[in-house]
């Protein structure tokens, strides 16, 4: 059973033009859901970008010398070796 969300009423100030665009897309009765979903997407995106930024440089060539020539070269080599080991039907 899905976890019940606690909803909180808040006040957000946006331009009249943006509100009009939201209403055209979501309808006046769908404003809250539309804005909540857009905000959730933005939070997810910002969190991912922040996580990627924090992880930048965590893998080095010294830690993974097999990737020195690039990940695509490594993957191609792995696929070629797998093709040699896997019998063709």
């Amino acid at each position: 059973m899905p976890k019940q969300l606690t909803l909180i009423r808040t006040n957000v100030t946006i331009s009249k033009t943006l509100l009009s665009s939201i209403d055209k897309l979501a309808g006046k009765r769908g404003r809250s859901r539309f804005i909540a979903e857009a905000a959730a997407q933005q939070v997810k995106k910002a969190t991912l970008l922040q996580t990627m930024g924090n992880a930048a440089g965590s893998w080095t060539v010294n830690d993974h010398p097999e990737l020195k020539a690039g990940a695509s070269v490594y993957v191609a080599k792995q696929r070629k070796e797998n093709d040699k080991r896997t019998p063709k039907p």
Side-chain angles (χ1 to χ4, degrees):
M1 188 171 192
K3 183 179 173 183
Q4 189 69 16
L5 296 177
T6 302
L7 301 178
I8 299 172
R9 182 178 289 270
T10 188
N11 184 25
V12 177
T13 303
I14 59 174
S15 72
K16 189 174 184 178
T17 304
L18 181 56
L19 181 61
S20 176
S21 296
I22 291 170
D23 285 349
K24 285 178 186 174
L25 292 168
K28 289 184 180 182
R29 303 297 306 165
R31 284 179 187 168
S32 291
R33 174 179 280 162
F34 184 91
I35 292 170
E37 287 175 357
Q41 279 184 315
Q42 195 61 25
V43 166
K44 186 175 181 179
K45 180 180 175 182
T47 301
L48 176 62
L49 290 172
Q50 184 179 37
T51 301
M52 289 171 57
N54 291 341
S58 60
W59 278 43
T60 67
V61 174
N62 293 335
D63 296 329
H64 301 280
E66 69 276 13
L67 300 177
K68 187 174 184 174
S72 60
V73 173
Y74 174 76
V75 170
K77 181 181 174 191
Q78 293 299 312
R79 288 179 178 162
K80 192 178 227 181
E81 288 177 9
N82 188 49
D83 288 345
K84 289 177 189 175
R85 291 189 302 259
T86 307
K88 301 288 183 219

